[in-house]
Amino acid sequence: MKIQRVLALTALLSATLAAAQGKTTITVGVFPDLDSVVKAALPGFNKLYPNIEVKINSLAYADHHNALTTALSTGKGANDVEAIDFGYVAKFAEGNGMTDLSKAPYNAGALASKFVGFTFPQATTQDGRIVAMPTDIGPGSMFYRTDLLAKAGVKPSQLNASWDSYIANGKKVVAANPGTFLIPDASEAAQIILRTGLKAGDGLYFDKANKVLVSPDNARFVKAFTIAKQIRDAKLDAKAGGAFSPEWTTAFQKGNLATEFSGAWLVGHMQNWLAKDFSGKWNAQNLPGNTFASWGGSFYGIPAQSQNKEAAWELIKYLTTNPAQQVLAFKTTGAFPALKAGQTDAVFNEGVPYLANQKARLLWRTAASKIQPLDVNKLDPIADQIVSDALGSVLDGSKDIPTALAEAQRLIERRAR
Amino acid sequence: MTAAPTTPPKHARSGGWDNFQRKYAPYIFISPFFLLFFAFGLFPIIFNAYLSVHSWQPGSGLGDMEFVGLRNFTDNLTDPTFWLSLKNTAILAVESGLPQHLIAIPLAFAINMGLKRAQSFITAVYFLPYITSVVAISVIFFTLFSWQYGVLNAALNSLHHIPVLGVLFPGEKVNWLGERAFVQPSIAMVIVWRYVGWNMLLYLSGLQAIPGELYEAAAVDGATRSEQFRFITLPLLRPTIFLAVTLSLIGGFQLFEEPFILTNGGGGVGQAGLTTIMYMFRTYNAYSDAGVAAAMAWLLFIVIGALTIVNNLLFGRSGMGSNEAPR
């Protein structure tokens, strides 16, 4: 009896000791608002993994990605888990700084079917490595001002029937509401058309064999440029340039925009600061021409230099594949779940107060399932810049469409070696 | 116990310490400068030179560098966008550089001659833009230049409604930063505004080195203010002009912040606001092509070096005939 008790005590002691020694601390590098999602996730995570302690290192959006670049370049200073925004994922995909999650013990490829279809290709390299796991997405829709449309007698369905219908009815909206614009910038229409109607397996600017797709003979590019030019020529756009430019912000705040194409996350900005005064006047609808596109999204990856890859992977799995956690993230910051199982919660049937209680989340969920995957290419950032420059010179009338596209094709081909 | 030994007993033993103090201490005292210089001055230059003959993506580790010889340089020299950026930089340097000096010289002369009392106040006012955060400046100007909601357009439009003079001003709103023709002048305007005070200060100190007797003598001989400016001020100010123009030249070819922020980092319509440094930053940051960016830095260095030599030949001591330096 006595010996048994001593044995049990020793076993208990050694177990606690082992537990104390087995406690790993990992760090997570994130940017706002994703840091609040991770913070909210930790109590639930620690219940399942009491042996893993998580420290959050949050930096401003650009600083976070710059710090990550530096850490990957020098091979020192990266966190065990790193959040990567959609805009940067291709950049980090092409280097060798991130752990390939497609290999054992991670086998992330087997999880792909659980996620919205277009997310995995964004983080997969040309040679099949998976560098990050998707966590949230930005399914796109057309936001529109119900009051401005009503004044012009235009139905929302007339705006999104087709791009031609969008322009024709858009003219009526602007005519009926002097001082307003149909869209912040004409180039937005081109960007959506470029991202939809792709052939399976093709990327945005390159096909599978790395051939440049930009050319005056490619219908997708010609259509994108033509529609954008029609919008500009009809004086329908505010020439605001990119989203969050001062011109864009002011137009929103003054209530001078009739429509805007963006990800579901725009509603958060609108209700908090961008268009506070116009609550209940905005509504959402699918993009023109029955097209579906994605605006942004976030990923988590493990730098190759991490010393705690196992624990890091547990955290990533929890953040991305746990349905309850994905719903919690959605409730915390409106981060739309990339996990399909995260999209079945009752909260998706609720109306969005800012959008006059419209059940927009169902719209976004359908949109998310229809967005096509785009293959990433390491030259995408260069091609993106060259094509948007070409579009700029078409819009300001200094070049015609065939000339601009032929020139862009030449410039991109020069880089592809 | 003998007091006060003639030679301290320490001396013989610690001759090494004394020796050390004499020989090495100065180096230790001066070492902070050299350490900082090596870390932040010399090392980046050497690393950049090394980088310029390698192909490297900043996202992967240092081990992934691949030697490519002079390919990065030929890549740049055959890149139309590089030449466009160089052309933009040259145009902006002239558009923003020339007015700076044409305004600053007479301004400094006027302050030096007529406004003795308020001199320091006025100098401070003109100098203020130079020390203000360039980001803050560009954001303010961005708002002023705004096409739909900008103060500049509002002002021009209200001037347009003045009866007779109105025809001089545009009735339509000008898209300052959104139209090819206006991008460069808009950026130049901001730069001129920012650096006039700095140049004025340079010229003011140059002017104060000119002996007052010269002006007095000229006044006795009946020279007017404008004659004094032409025949005394300008020739004696030549070394200062040379210095100020050299600084403008170097600064002009390194233009980055103002055009970067005013064009949202993209270079604006038709890339008219894309300077070489901006393109270098884009090549490194967005294109992840560190080697090509490093080679671009050396090409820009060669351009600035060549222009400085030309400037030296034209305006420096060896230029303009006279070799006399004013005393």
Side-chain angles (χ1 to χ4, degrees):
Chain A
M1 276 272 270
K2 211 177 175 189
I3 291 172
Q4 269 177 344
R5 207 182 277 172
V6 171
L7 271 178
L9 210 72
T10 330
L12 201 76
L13 254 170
S14 50
T16 29
L17 265 175
Q21 280 171 343
K23 199 158 173 116
T24 4
T25 304
I26 57 170
T27 53
V28 190
V30 262
F31 46 86
D33 276 339
L34 204 59
D35 50 359
S36 16
V37 170
V38 180
K39 212 180 216 167
L42 288 188
F45 177 72
N46 280 330
K47 223 173 253 173
L48 287 175
Y49 300 92
N51 287 340
I52 302 176
E53 199 182 323
V54 181
K55 278 197 180 134
I56 301 173
N57 291 329
S58 183
L59 284 175
Y61 178 80
D63 295 340
H64 165 78
H65 290 100
N66 285 341
L68 181 54
T69 312
T70 312
L72 294 183
S73 312
T74 55
K76 268 205 174 75
N79 295 291
D80 296 308
V81 174
E82 291 279 6
I84 305 172
D85 183 68
F86 164 70
Y88 287 87
V89 76
K91 176 177 168 175
F92 293 126
E94 293 309 329
N96 291 323
M98 302 300 291
T99 306
D100 179 8
L101 301 178
S102 72
K103 296 224 168 70
Y106 316 103
N107 299 319
L111 299 167
S113 60
K114 293 184 174 189
F115 288 84
V116 172
F118 69 89
T119 55
F120 262 72
Q122 291 176 335
T124 307
T125 62
Q126 280 161 295
D127 52 11
R129 287 176 295 125
I130 297 174
V131 296
M133 289 281 286
T135 180
D136 60 51
I137 54 174
S141 58
M142 179 184 90
F143 297 97
Y144 62 93
R145 280 276 298 276
T146 45
D147 52 335
L148 299 184
L149 261 66
K151 203 170 169 195
V154 169
K155 284 187 211 120
S157 60
Q158 287 176 304
L159 277 186
N160 74 354
S162 71
W163 283 103
D164 291 329
S165 169
Y166 175 76
I167 296 173
N169 289 291
K171 284 180 188 163
K172 290 185 206 160
V173 175
V174 171
N177 299 282
T180 60
F181 298 100
L182 183 61
I183 179 177
D185 202 280
S187 62
E188 289 177 53
Q191 296 295 347
I192 295 170
I193 299 169
L194 285 184
R195 277 159 181 78
T196 49
L198 283 103
K199 279 198 214 101
D202 275 359
L204 208 47
Y205 306 110
F206 300 89
D207 69 6
K208 267 218 146 60
N210 263 334
K211 202 179 143 268
V212 180
L213 293 170
V214 182
S215 106
D217 308 318
N218 185 317
R220 182 163 54 101
F221 284 90
V222 174
K223 186 187 174 197
F225 277 43
T226 311
I227 298 284
K229 180 75 174 146
Q230 283 170 358
I231 293 174
R232 173 65 51 91
D233 287 350
K235 294 190 190 316
L236 296 177
D237 75 325
K239 300 182 190 174
F244 298 98
S245 71
E247 203 86 28
W248 182 86
T249 310
T250 319
F252 251 112
Q253 287 167 336
K254 292 195 182 258
N256 288 349
L257 294 172
T259 69
E260 166 66 315
F261 308 117
S262 190
W265 45 262
L266 187 69
V267 175
H269 289 285
M270 287 203 280
Q271 69 182 18
N272 291 335
W273 63 283
L274 203 50
K276 260 188 195 168
D277 304 343
F278 301 94
S279 176
K281 291 182 176 165
W282 283 94
N283 237 314
Q285 179 67 272
N286 279 332
L287 299 171
N290 211 24
T291 48
F292 299 93
S294 147
W295 271 261
S298 324
F299 297 82
Y300 292 110
I302 307 175
Q305 53 184 280
S306 163
Q307 299 297 316
N308 302 304
K309 294 201 178 93
E310 231 171 277
W313 176 241
E314 295 302 342
L315 178 64
I316 292 183
K317 262 199 302 189
Y318 182 80
L319 288 171
T320 57
T321 63
N322 185 317
Q325 164 54 28
Q326 287 267 305
V327 173
L328 178 66
F330 182 61
K331 286 177 182 163
T332 311
T333 63
F336 206 88
L339 186 74
K340 283 187 208 155
Q343 300 178 353
T344 51
D345 194 79
V347 73
F348 286 87
N349 292 316
E350 285 171 19
V352 180
Y354 184 86
L355 300 176
N357 279 321
Q358 190 195 357
K359 291 188 176 176
R361 289 159 186 168
L362 297 175
L363 185 82
W364 295 328
R365 187 167 74 190
T366 317
S369 69
K370 293 192 175 169
I371 297 167
Q372 306 153 47
L374 294 177
D375 274 353
V376 288
N377 188 292
K378 67 174 174 188
L379 289 178
D380 276 346
I382 302 180
D384 199 51
Q385 182 70 46
I386 291 172
V387 167
S388 90
D389 290 344
L391 181 59
S393 23
V394 166
L395 289 181
D396 87 340
S398 50
K399 275 177 203 150
D400 61 30
I401 294 172
T403 316
L405 280 174
E407 238 180 71
Q409 179 182 11
R410 228 181 15 254
L411 283 174
I412 299 171
E413 276 169 353
R414 208 188 71 84
R415 287 278 187 164
R417 55 161 169 247
Chain B
M1 271 225 186
T2 42
T6 40
T7 46
K10 266 204 257 164
H11 192 79
R13 254 194 299 132
S14 65
W17 170 247
D18 225 37
N19 204 23
F20 170 81
Q21 272 193 326
R22 206 168 305 130
K23 268 194 166 165
Y24 302 108
Y27 294 104
I28 293 178
F29 283 123
I30 207 168
S31 64
F33 165 75
F34 281 104
L35 288 177
L36 289 175
F37 172 71
F38 284 128
F40 298 105
L42 198 61
F43 173 73
I45 294 175
I46 293 169
F47 186 65
N48 200 46
Y50 180 80
L51 208 52
S52 69
V53 288
H54 286 78
S55 166
W56 183 52
Q57 287 184 328
S60 36
L62 289 168
D64 276 13
M65 286 193 188
E66 183 197 337
F67 181 76
V68 292
L70 291 177
R71 194 186 74 186
N72 291 333
F73 287 91
T74 51
D75 265 12
N76 274 314
L77 293 174
T78 54
D79 180 2
T81 316
F82 171 72
W83 290 105
L84 174 74
S85 77
L86 209 55
K87 189 180 121 197
N88 288 339
T89 315
I91 294 174
L92 273 172
V94 173
E95 267 184 7
S96 65
L98 214 55
Q100 275 176 45
H101 297 276
L102 295 181
I103 297 169
I105 297 176
L107 200 65
F109 181 69
I111 290 174
N112 191 39
M113 285 281 123
L115 298 160
K116 290 265 185 219
R117 229 179 236 182
Q119 197 173 315
S120 48
F121 173 73
I122 292 177
T123 312
V125 167
Y126 275 102
F127 196 65
L128 214 53
Y130 181 73
I131 52 166
T132 309
S133 147
V134 65
V135 177
I137 291 172
S138 302
V139 169
I140 297 284
F141 271 92
F142 209 121
T143 324
L144 295 179
F145 282 135
S146 166
W147 175 50
Q148 282 297 318
Y149 315 102
V151 178
L152 199 60
N153 275 338
L156 286 176
N157 286 1
S158 60
L159 285 174
H160 178 74
H161 294 297
I162 296 171
V164 183
L165 278 172
V167 282
L168 291 173
F169 300 99
E172 289 245 321
K173 285 176 176 164
V174 180
N175 196 352
W176 295 103
L177 297 167
E179 218 161 295
R180 200 176 284 252
F182 297 113
V183 175
Q184 284 172 350
S186 304
I187 296 171
M189 221 186 291
V190 178
I191 298 168
V192 168
W193 175 81
R194 183 156 184 244
Y195 288 98
V196 156
W198 159 256
N199 284 304
M200 193 200 68
L201 202 71
L202 276 181
Y203 288 125
L204 204 56
S205 56
L207 285 171
Q208 280 163 353
I210 299 173
E213 303 95 71
L214 289 176
Y215 291 105
E216 280 163 28
V220 169
D221 287 348
T224 61
R225 271 280 156 92
S226 65
E227 279 168 339
Q228 289 175 14
F229 180 71
R230 240 186 94 191
F231 297 110
I232 299 173
T233 313
L234 275 187
L236 291 183
L237 210 54
R238 196 162 60 87
T240 316
I241 297 179
F242 171 64
L243 172 74
V245 168
T246 308
L247 289 179
S248 290
L249 199 68
I250 295 171
F253 272 81
Q254 293 182 337
L255 264 186
F256 176 72
E257 295 106 322
E258 292 93 346
F260 186 82
I261 297 168
L262 287 171
T263 62
N264 263 332
V269 189
Q271 306 271 56
L274 183 78
T275 64
T276 307
I277 300 270
M278 270 170 81
Y279 189 47
M280 192 168 82
F281 177 72
R282 178 189 291 174
T283 307
Y284 173 80
N285 201 42
Y287 300 171
S288 291
D289 213 339
V292 172
M296 207 182 296
W298 287 104
L299 290 171
L300 188 64
F301 169 73
I302 292 169
V303 170
I304 294 177
L307 286 172
T308 312
I309 291 171
V310 170
N311 180 38
N312 198 2
L313 289 175
L314 287 177
F315 298 105
R317 291 214 167 166
S318 47
M320 275 188 156
S322 135
N323 276 326
E324 248 177 282
R327 262 151 240 213

